[in-house]
């Protein structure tokens, strides 16, 4: 993707996870969006001009977020990957909010792709695995076998691939086989953001609407760099809002 180690600038902001979990438990998606909007404002002040959020569940509030700089929705690069492989029916694994909501289903439907989720008991079990085990860093062979069995059931029902639509699920399944190709939504999002960052650096005129704060920060950095080296130019500034 270009010169080695020449990645875009990255800033990270995250509120305590329990703030989000409390709001999600109350189905307070406006509250979730308010937290995400505050993160966006902090990142913009730090000089960011583009935001990604690697948390799948928080995208339930995506349409409510207020931000003066653009975000890349996590479903977009996943849909692009599915289209590239010409798959027509995709399974979704994640929290119940993701499996039962429209974070992926709406985006897939717009591209003519069908979606499938596990049966209710399996959705509840996956939610328990994520919330009680994976978030706490506990990865067991029993839970891995459970996920493998659920994926196998999806394959029997016609799914051609499955989205691991939870940050921790790829960690549980890393290095292990499943009956279907597994799409790591977090990794696909990161790669898409990196591609956008490199393209912005190659074509500055196509950068996302940069804020005055970001421009001033870049000028300050460049003044310091030119005083101490012969390097010129600047990378697009990307940021990550996590939880």
């Amino acid at each position: 993707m270009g010169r080695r180690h020449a990645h875009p600038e990255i800033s990270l902001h995250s509120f305590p996870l329990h703030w989000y979990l409390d709001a999600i438990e109350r189905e307070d998606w406006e509250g979730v969006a308010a937290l995400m909007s505050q993160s966006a404002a902090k990142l913009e002040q730090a000089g960011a001009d583009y935001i990604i959020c690697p948390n799948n569940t928080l995208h339930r509030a995506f349409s409510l977020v207020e931000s003066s700089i653009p975000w890349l929705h996590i479903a977009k690069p996943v849909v692009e990957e599915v289209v590239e492989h010409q798959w027509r029916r995709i399974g979704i694994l994640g929290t119940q909010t993701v499996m039962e909501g429209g974070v992926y289903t709406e985006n897939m439907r717009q591209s003519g792709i069908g979606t499938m989720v596990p049966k209710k008991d399996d959705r509840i079990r996956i939610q328990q695995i994520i919330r009680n085990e994976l978030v706490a860093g506990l990865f067991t062979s029993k839970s891995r076998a459970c996920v493998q069995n659920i994926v196998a059931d999806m394959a029997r029902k016609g799914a051609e691939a499955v989205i691991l639509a939870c940050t921790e699920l790829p960690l549980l399944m890393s290095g292990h086989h499943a009956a279907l190709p597994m799409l790591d939504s977090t990794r696909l999002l990161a790669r898409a953001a990196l591609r956008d960052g490199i393209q912005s650096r190659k074509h500055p005129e196509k950068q996302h609407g940069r804020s005055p704060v970001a421009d001033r920060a870049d000028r300050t950095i460049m003044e310091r760099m030119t005083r101490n080296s012969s390097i010129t130019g600047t990378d697009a500034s990307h940021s990550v809002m996590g939880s």
Side-chain angles (χ1 to χ4, degrees):
M1 282 189 171
R3 183 178 176 181
R4 189 179 182 186
H5 306 309
H7 59 76
E9 296 175 44
I10 300 172
S11 299
L12 172 68
H13 182 265
S14 178
F15 287 113
L17 178 59
H18 80 86
W19 291 10
Y20 283 107
L21 294 180
D22 288 350
I24 291 170
E25 289 293 335
R26 299 192 304 269
E27 290 286 322
D28 178 13
W29 295 105
E30 290 186 356
V32 171
L35 291 172
M36 296 169 73
S37 300
Q38 289 178 53
S39 275
K42 290 175 182 288
L43 290 168
E44 183 177 6
Q45 286 295 316
D49 60 18
Y50 188 64
I51 296 178
I52 61 173
C53 173
N55 185 302
N56 290 264
T57 300
L58 297 191
H59 280 74
R60 166 67 175 76
F62 188 85
S63 64
L64 303 174
V65 173
E66 296 181 1
S67 175
S68 59
I69 53 179
W71 293 51
L72 175 61
H73 193 291
I74 198 168
K76 185 175 185 292
V78 177
V79 171
E80 291 172 351
E81 185 78 5
V82 171
V83 170
E84 182 177 339
H85 284 85
Q86 299 183 337
W87 290 319
R88 307 310 303 168
R89 198 170 188 200
I90 302 296
I92 303 172
L93 297 182
T95 63
Q96 284 182 272
T97 296
V98 171
M99 291 186 288
E100 298 172 2
V103 172
Y104 285 95
T105 54
E106 292 301 322
N107 288 276
M108 291 291 176
R109 186 178 298 114
Q110 291 173 13
S111 295
I113 300 163
T115 56
M116 177 191 304
V117 297
K119 60 186 179 182
K120 184 176 181 180
D121 287 349
D122 287 340
R123 296 199 301 272
I124 293 172
R125 177 59 184 141
I126 291 174
Q127 173 79 7
Q128 292 172 339
I129 289 172
I130 292 171
R131 290 289 294 272
N132 299 334
E133 299 177 19
L134 304 189
V135 171
L138 181 62
F139 304 94
T140 69
S141 56
K142 180 179 179 181
S143 292
R144 184 177 301 111
C146 176
V147 172
Q148 288 172 321
N149 289 336
I150 292 171
V151 172
D153 185 53
M154 287 182 157
R156 287 190 292 269
K157 294 177 179 177
E160 298 171 273
V162 62
I163 305 169
L164 300 183
C166 169
T167 311
E168 292 82 13
L169 280 174
L171 301 178
L172 176 67
M173 301 304 297
S174 178
H176 295 273
H177 175 74
L180 294 171
M182 296 180 287
L183 304 179
D184 182 341
S185 61
T186 305
R187 187 174 296 273
L188 289 170
L189 177 67
R191 287 177 175 172
L194 179 59
R195 284 195 301 269
D196 283 356
I198 290 173
Q199 285 301 112
S200 294
R201 188 176 70 242
K202 288 180 178 178
H203 306 285
E205 73 282 359
K206 295 183 180 181
Q207 285 191 18
H208 304 284
R210 292 180 61 79
S211 69
V213 173
D215 289 334
R216 287 196 299 273
D218 277 345
R219 285 197 297 271
T220 300
I221 291 170
M222 291 312 303
E223 287 170 2
R224 292 173 179 171
M225 290 175 66
T226 53
R227 282 199 300 267
N228 295 288
S229 73
S230 60
I231 298 174
T232 59
T234 182
D235 288 350
S237 175
H238 279 49
S239 60
V240 178
M241 194 285 289
S243 69

